[in-house]
Amino acid sequence: MTHLLDIRKLCIDFQSASGLFRAVDSIDMHCDSGEILAIVGESGSGKSVAMLAMMGLLPWNAKISAERMLFDGHDLLGLNKRERRRIIGKDIGMIFQEPMSSLNPCFTVGFQIGESLRLHLGLKGARKRERSIALLRQVGIPAPETRLSAFPHQLSGGMCQRVMIAMVLASNPKLLIADEPTTALDVTIQAQILELLLSLQREKDMALILITHDMGVVAETAERVQVQYAGQKVEEQNVRSLFSAPRHPYTAALLASLPERARTRGKLPSIVGVVPGQFDRPPACLFAPRCAQAKSVCNENVRQQGAAHGHALCNFPLEYTK
Amino acid sequence: MQLPARVYEVKELVVSNQPIISAVDLKRYYSVSKGLLRKAGVVKALDGVSFELAAGKTLAVVGESGCGKSTLARLVAMIEHASAGELLLDGKSVYSNKSASNKIGGNKIKLNSRETRQAVQVVFQDPYASLNPRHKIGTILEEPLALNSKMSAEQRRSRAESMMQRVGLRPEHYERYPHMFSGGQRQRIAIARAMILNPRVLVLDEPVSALDLSIQAQVLNLLAELQREFGLAYIFISHDLSVVRHIADYVMVMYLGKVVEAASVKVLFSEPRHPYTVALLSATPTTDSRVRKKRLTLKGELPSPLDPPDGCAFNPRCPNASKECRKEQPALKQAEDNSRQLACFHPMATQ
């Protein structure tokens, strides 16, 4: 079976003044039509960078290498710029964290949606306008006819995010990447936007990759979850078993430190130390210095477990007795 | 100035059980100047908020952006004057002159209020912005002492070092600059700076919102330890309800400058009555599939504070709104069962 998106051993290094910095470390990832994949991790875990690399949005000092990077049968690494543009933005859409800053403040909402329609679908004039209005209506913007001539600063954060979604939907993408789409929004607006994304995903049978750090959002929206730590994928499970039986000690510790999971009002279980940086990268398991279960062997090598243990990148995955 | 012994002070406060800090009908209005195309207006950022807070307790203020929670924080921290109302520290007003009308910037904070100001300190949301990048950690921590006490340089240094140790920083950090620290460590520095003058009230304006999950737990634990140890009163501003539920004793829910519901944390989370509180709680995503309920999704967004709707500010988004709600503003009243304060004509039924 071929996946819609199939990435194997993706590595991304940044050339910095102090040497190479590995932001993404041999990550495997796949996603199918109609599926919702969530990527969770703390800041610096490489979750956004991996997706930006796929979109070709990384700066020149990033070195991307992968064994395989296939989307819908196309090899994304082998494409030239012109061919890539035909796929990126059309078949793969992306929305970002800050809706206010991802829209161009100099142009009206209608112009920005129309641009996408003109470039990808070749629509013009009245048909373009008609389709723009239909898209705005689809994402739940009241009075879409008048909103076409509004500038981004005249809209609230939630409305801007709806406009972003409308722009992405304009070309009927097969894959939608949402990079922290609700982090900058209030909870009641977050609920509206998530509901909208999910209903559109179901309606159009899109693949949705949701990048987030909010465990609650993951639990309520995703089907499959992959957990990243310091640029590596440390665990992958379906959402229910991830929350009931996390296999990697990092995932388990992260879930335990959620205030809502604390049994009593006392001390929250926390993870000691901080994420390793460029110069204190451990030799084998990257989580070993912070791990409660680490043994000396964890500093020599680390083994990838099978599906039964959530693909955990850990020598001693957590066991559960049923 | 000799800094008083901590232990003695805490004991006395616990015995007295009086509120350390209280606000009575606190208001803050801002005037919006006339532009080319719009007329002058008044934004009622904070429109009559009252509370009392005793030592060792935490009052959480929750609400969406624009509800006035940060304005409240700035007023309590005495960064801004109030338009009207009263802020009392140990029963004494912090304002020198009061205006009868709701004039903007009406109530001035007393000029010789050093001791008052020392008693209330702030920790801000973004530790990347709240620490001066050109100052070493030592300088940052000692500045309040240099300004407010007659301590010698050596005394200041030893006090700064003991405070650094208390919040979990190492002595060698004294000579470093803020950019050399991670977000969690920076927030520890900000907490140490707030604690260095032995305050009795800490205003925490979203102190963990900018931090990663694993670091968030560390900082919350530190705050809980400090509160126990020093008998601090916390005013905890947050939009993250799971954090509030963990740390707070009382919760105030605000909407467009007004308190809509206030209760103990247990009551508010187990049986919310105001439709906005219910919506806020049900909109918060949870990892626990057992408690996941049918969601009450609100339509629309926060109205413009320049042009609030008539009657109850929440009526355009409220599922229970009636004619009455569109005409008249419900006052914040003690509920019949005395469990809470509530400002609503048609509260949700208790389950």
Side-chain angles (χ1 to χ4, degrees):
Chain A
M1 192 183 84
T2 53
H3 299 293
L4 179 69
L5 175 71
D6 191 0
I7 296 176
R8 201 59 70 78
K9 295 231 179 309
L10 173 68
C11 291
I12 300 167
D13 294 287
F14 282 97
Q15 189 87 53
S16 69
S18 50
L20 274 186
F21 172 66
R22 178 148 285 199
V24 172
D25 194 356
S26 59
I27 279 182
D28 297 345
M29 185 188 300
H30 64 90
C31 192
D32 293 309
S33 301
E35 190 188 27
I36 306 177
L37 169 70
I39 305 177
V40 288
E42 299 180 280
S43 42
S45 63
K47 49 194 197 304
S48 296
V49 174
M51 289 297 110
L52 290 174
M54 200 175 85
M55 300 289 282
L57 292 176
L58 285 180
W60 60 272
N61 62 347
K63 302 261 173 298
I64 305 167
S65 67
E67 220 167 69
R68 184 159 61 187
M69 201 190 225
L70 291 176
F71 172 77
D72 203 19
H74 303 279
D75 178 14
L76 289 178
L77 285 176
L79 294 178
N80 63 33
K81 269 189 183 159
R82 186 180 287 251
E83 290 167 327
R84 183 191 276 268
R85 279 206 182 166
R86 246 177 256 149
I87 297 174
I88 304 298
K90 183 167 186 292
D91 290 339
I92 310 178
M94 188 161 180
I95 55 174
F96 301 91
Q97 175 172 351
E98 287 274 344
M100 297 294 219
S101 54
S102 32
L103 289 170
N104 190 333
C106 303
F107 294 97
T108 63
V109 164
F111 178 86
Q112 297 186 51
I113 297 175
E115 196 177 23
S116 159
L117 288 171
R118 180 171 58 83
L119 285 172
H120 292 305
L121 303 178
L123 291 183
K124 282 193 188 106
R127 286 193 55 211
K128 187 171 80 177
R129 188 183 149 81
E130 223 168 79
R131 181 91 180 100
S132 306
I133 292 172
L135 281 167
L136 286 184
R137 188 167 291 132
Q138 202 176 2
V139 296
I141 291 182
E145 294 85 356
T146 54
R147 289 293 158 85
L148 276 183
S149 52
F151 284 92
H153 75 267
Q154 294 169 315
L155 303 176
S156 66
M159 281 298 160
C160 282
Q161 197 60 291
R162 284 174 197 269
V163 171
M164 283 297 293
I165 295 173
M167 281 171 70
V168 170
L169 286 181
S171 57
N172 266 324
K174 293 175 181 151
L175 169 66
L176 174 59
I177 302 167
D179 186 357
E180 308 253 11
T182 57
T183 308
L185 307 175
D186 284 317
V187 277
T188 58
I189 308 299
Q190 162 171 298
Q192 293 173 358
I193 296 289
L194 286 177
E195 222 159 79
L196 172 69
L197 275 177
L198 290 187
S199 73
L200 290 169
Q201 184 266 340
R202 239 170 287 142
E203 200 179 297
K204 297 186 179 291
D205 201 35
M206 278 189 301
L208 177 64
I209 296 182
L210 186 70
I211 303 174
T212 182
H213 66 269
D214 188 327
M215 287 294 181
V217 170
V218 173
E220 296 205 351
T221 51
E223 291 161 4
R224 199 154 52 83
V225 186
Q226 85 182 39
V227 183
Q228 288 188 199
Y229 179 76
Q232 289 182 336
K233 181 168 94 172
V234 295
E235 181 163 358
E236 182 188 335
Q237 286 208 64
N238 75 46
V239 67
R240 192 167 292 182
S241 46
L242 184 91
F243 283 97
S244 62
R247 296 293 182 172
H248 196 283
Y250 171 66
T251 319
L254 206 57
L255 291 178
S257 69
L258 287 173
E260 59 166 295
R261 293 199 147 209
R263 293 273 155 73
T264 53
R265 282 176 54 90
K267 219 172 146 103
L268 283 173
S270 62
I271 309 177
V272 289
V274 290
V275 181
Q278 187 178 356
F279 303 110
D280 53 358
R281 213 169 164 82
C285 174
L286 296 183
F287 188 59
R290 305 175 76 188
C291 182
Q293 275 115 301
K295 300 194 171 58
S296 60
V297 62
C298 297
N299 288 321
E300 286 154 23
N301 62 61
V302 62
R303 207 150 47 90
Q304 172 108 46
Q305 302 290 332
H309 289 96
H311 304 283
L313 193 65
C314 180
N315 293 325
F316 308 101
L318 304 175
E319 298 288 348
Y320 297 87
T321 45
K322 258 265 160 85
Chain B
M1 189 198 82
Q2 193 72 46
L3 287 163
R6 226 334 115 188
V7 185
Y8 167 72
E9 220 175 84
V10 174
K11 256 188 192 157
E12 189 188 54
L13 281 167
V14 171
V15 171
S16 66
N17 208 16
Q18 286 291 309
I20 291 189
I21 191 156
S22 53
V24 184
D25 206 22
L26 214 51
K27 289 178 184 170
R28 175 70 203 176
Y29 297 167
Y30 296 100
S31 63
V32 181
S33 62
K34 208 156 72 174
L36 200 57
L37 296 169
R38 63 167 185 224
K39 33 185 216 294
V42 172
V43 172
K44 298 181 176 179
L46 197 68
D47 201 9
V49 169
S50 309
F51 65 85
E52 282 187 349
L53 187 60
K57 296 289 181 196
T58 303
L59 170 74
V61 184
V62 298
E64 296 178 284
S65 42
C67 74
K69 54 192 198 300
S70 287
T71 305
L72 178 64
R74 293 171 71 84
L75 253 62
V76 172
M78 288 170 263
I79 297 170
E80 280 188 49
H81 306 295
S83 302
E86 192 63 275
L87 183 66
L88 303 155
L89 200 72
D90 282 329
K92 289 192 284 276
S93 173
V94 304
Y95 298 128
S96 55
N97 62 321
K98 271 155 244 152
S99 63
S101 63
N102 290 346
K103 220 181 83 195
I104 289 152
N107 292 0
K108 291 277 187 288
I109 298 161
K110 281 178 194 160
L111 275 177
N112 54 351
S113 59
R114 282 218 158 165
E115 275 169 53
T116 327
R117 284 177 185 276
Q118 282 172 29
V120 185
Q121 295 290 327
V122 204
V123 176
F124 293 99
Q125 170 172 5
D126 185 0
Y128 290 84
S130 66
L131 299 175
N132 189 335
R134 289 165 187 245
H135 282 181
K136 289 176 182 165
I137 304 311
T139 321
I140 291 174
L141 292 183
E142 284 178 21
E143 195 173 12
L145 293 172
L147 291 172
N148 289 297
S149 74
K150 291 202 170 68
M151 282 178 153
S152 69
E154 275 159 56
Q155 283 173 315
R156 287 203 302 264
R157 175 153 189 157
S158 81
R159 171 125 182 92
E161 281 176 346
S162 72
M163 191 50 79
M164 281 168 65
Q165 194 193 355
R166 182 63 203 81
V167 299
L169 295 166
R170 288 200 295 273
E172 65 262 30
H173 292 157
Y174 186 88
E175 297 285 343
R176 294 197 188 159
Y177 288 94
H179 74 264
M180 301 157 116
F181 293 90
S182 66
Q185 279 175 314
R186 284 184 210 214
Q187 203 57 303
R188 285 175 196 270
I189 297 165
I191 292 170
R193 177 178 60 182
M195 289 294 298
I196 205 138
L197 287 171
N198 275 333
R200 298 164 58 200
V201 180
L202 270 197
V203 179
L204 306 161
D205 192 353
E206 309 246 15
V208 293
S209 306
L211 305 179
D212 271 323
L213 205 52
S214 66
I215 308 299
Q216 171 178 307
Q218 293 174 4
V219 172
L220 285 177
N221 284 341
L222 173 66
L223 286 172
E225 279 165 28
L226 290 173
Q227 181 169 47
R228 255 198 317 277
E229 205 172 310
F230 298 105
L232 291 166
Y234 283 166
I235 294 178
F236 192 91
I237 315 269
S238 181
H239 66 270
D240 187 336
L241 291 168
S242 64
V243 171
V244 165
R245 185 176 203 164
H246 182 77
I247 201 168
D249 296 295
Y250 313 103
V251 187
M252 239 163 41
V253 183
M254 291 183 63
Y255 192 80
L256 220 63
K258 278 187 156 48
V259 177
V260 294
E261 188 167 5
S264 73
V265 72
K266 205 172 151 207
V267 169
L268 195 100
F269 279 88
S270 58
E271 37 190 61
R273 297 288 305 278
H274 197 285
Y276 180 62
T277 316
V278 175
L280 211 55
L281 287 178
S282 81
T284 309
T286 166
T287 60
D288 192 344
S289 52
R290 283 166 305 169
V291 298
R292 219 166 285 160
K293 291 166 283 196
K294 197 159 170 1
R295 180 162 285 173
L296 176 68
T297 311
L298 290 177
K299 286 192 289 280
E301 305 189 359
L302 204 72
S304 158
L306 256 175
D307 183 23
D310 288 335
C312 173
F314 186 56
N315 83 64
R317 303 172 75 189
C318 181
N320 293 1
S322 69
K323 230 182 223 165
E324 193 184 10
C325 305
R326 286 182 201 103
K327 257 188 263 157
E328 214 180 317
Q329 206 159 46
L332 188 68
K333 279 192 295 226
Q334 198 76 21
E336 288 116 53
D337 56 353
N338 265 334
S339 63
R340 75 194 74 215
Q341 287 177 301
L342 186 66
C344 186
F345 293 125
H346 310 290
M348 306 298 247
T350 43
Q351 286 102 11

